Amino acid sequence: MGSERDQVGEETLGFLSDEVKRIAEAYPRVPLSEIWADLAQAQDEAFRLMESGRARPSQTRDLHFMATVLSFLMAKGSHDMGDARTAMMQARAAGFCARQSEHAGLVALVDGLQSFISYWANRPEDALHYARKGMHESATLRGTVSVWLPGLEARAAALLGDEQTVRSANERAETLREQVVLDDLDSLGGLFTYPEAKQSYYTVESAVLLGRGDAQLAAQAEETVRRFSNREDPGWAFGDQAGSQCNLALVRLFADDLDGAAEAIRPVLDLAPSHRNNGIVVSAERVRDALVRSAGRDATVARDLSTEIAMFQPVRPALLR
């Protein structure tokens, strides 16, 4: 980079592009502490190059694309640390860069990110708004972002107790899945693609939030956990695995299977503090809330499990070194 002071050269862009792809693929697979410094440095470099005035028009568009991806991941990192306010600020920066890049998929993706942040911050109305805004933006898209957005809509509607919207959103996601043609965002991998296992995780979660615990849902929840058991799968993510395990625990609790619920959530409670991001902590807390309301809440297993979940949250989620 130092040898290309007077212009943005291909070596500079190539290096940054490689970093973007490496970080995007690694993000859902490793603790935040392992990549946070690299992510922040790459974002800073992308903005520095854009502001330098040395980039050609074609390069500026590429830089806005990369800045969007990096700001998206910075927003997710802030969310993982439980800071929804900073996460939304980073998401707005990502949205600005996405519009500057004139990339419809990125614009829709950032709307989905804002829905995602709002959902975990327990702002379901905002989550529903952003998901629907993204669906409008993605009406002509064929990549998996078009399937992610109705999945987000279903989860937000479930928090609001709107069973009809949950059903229609999940049906729309299934229809769109059949029409998917992988695009440049899917090629980034990580959080920028929406594999079928993750779609199943979202579908189960929307049903769980409505309080369902029937045998059919239990079978789907078990299958989702099984699909996330292979760490060699490119779509594996420790957060999605933990979320699916918490959902299985909830399904079993709703069916009054206390021992089965304890077994399902055990791998989550054994996670190291560095892996306990905000979404995982909230998912575990949902299990604790259900335990308190369950018929077996006075059982020794229930009391011990509730105490352990209460102690699960670290001082700060996704604790940094």
Side-chain angles (χ1 to χ4, degrees), residues 45-295:
E45 183 63 24
F47 278 106
R48 185 184 69 79
L49 290 171
M50 284 193 297
E51 294 164 358
S52 69
R54 297 183 287 112
R56 297 188 296 274
S58 60
Q59 293 176 324
T60 299
R61 186 169 182 173
D62 289 341
L63 284 169
H64 276 110
F65 180 96
M66 290 186 278
T68 303
V69 171
L70 294 166
S71 297
F72 180 106
L73 293 172
M74 287 290 285
K76 177 62 164 60
S78 298
H79 154 74
D80 285 345
M81 290 187 283
D83 187 349
R85 181 175 176 274
T86 301
M88 289 300 282
M89 289 173 62
Q90 291 281 2
R92 292 187 182 102
F96 172 81
C97 293
R99 290 188 293 274
Q100 292 297 109
S101 72
E102 299 181 337
H103 192 296
L106 279 178
V107 174
L109 189 81
V110 173
D111 286 329
L113 172 65
Q114 291 176 299
S115 175
F116 177 92
I117 294 167
S118 300
Y119 168 78
W120 288 110
N122 199 29
R123 297 197 300 266
E125 293 87 355
D126 290 348
L128 197 61
H129 163 73
Y130 286 117
R132 288 173 171 171
K133 182 172 178 287
M135 283 190 288
H136 177 73
E137 298 283 355
S138 68
T140 61
L141 300 177
R142 301 285 296 279
T144 61
V145 65
S146 66
V147 188
W148 184 44
L149 289 157
L152 290 165
E153 181 189 26
R155 293 204 308 185
L159 279 180
L160 294 168
D162 185 350
E163 189 168 352
Q164 182 176 349
T165 298
V166 170
R167 185 183 304 109
S168 62
N170 282 329
E171 289 173 355
R172 189 181 312 115
E174 290 175 9
T175 299
L176 290 169
R177 173 64 68 182
E178 296 173 358
Q179 303 168 9
V180 160
V181 177
L182 300 181
D183 59 14
D184 54 347
L185 295 179
D186 290 302
S187 69
L188 285 172
L191 301 178
F192 299 92
T193 189
Y194 186 61
E196 291 185 40
K198 193 165 186 173
Q199 182 178 350
S200 180
Y201 159 44
Y202 273 49
T203 301
V204 170
E205 184 151 299
S206 62
V208 164
L209 291 171
L210 293 172
R212 287 180 52 197
D214 55 79
Q216 182 178 352
L217 183 62
Q220 186 177 2
E222 289 168 0
E223 173 62 15
T224 303
V225 169
R226 187 195 65 76
R227 294 175 77 170
F228 277 115
S229 64
N230 180 14
R231 295 181 177 231
E232 301 304 315
D233 190 303
W236 180 83
F238 71 83
D240 295 339
Q241 181 180 27
S244 64
Q245 288 163 335
C246 288
N247 288 338
L248 177 58
L250 284 167
V251 171
R252 289 176 174 175
L253 271 180
F254 296 154
D256 295 325
D257 182 3
L258 183 57
D259 291 334
E263 179 187 18
I265 199 175
R266 172 48 48 200
V268 180
L269 299 179
D270 290 340
L271 285 172
S274 60
H275 286 71
R276 300 177 194 176
N277 63 35
N278 184 55
I280 294 174
V281 170
V282 172
S283 296
E285 282 295 321
R286 287 175 179 166
V287 177
R288 183 168 179 261
D289 290 343
L291 274 169
V292 172
R293 298 192 303 269
S294 70

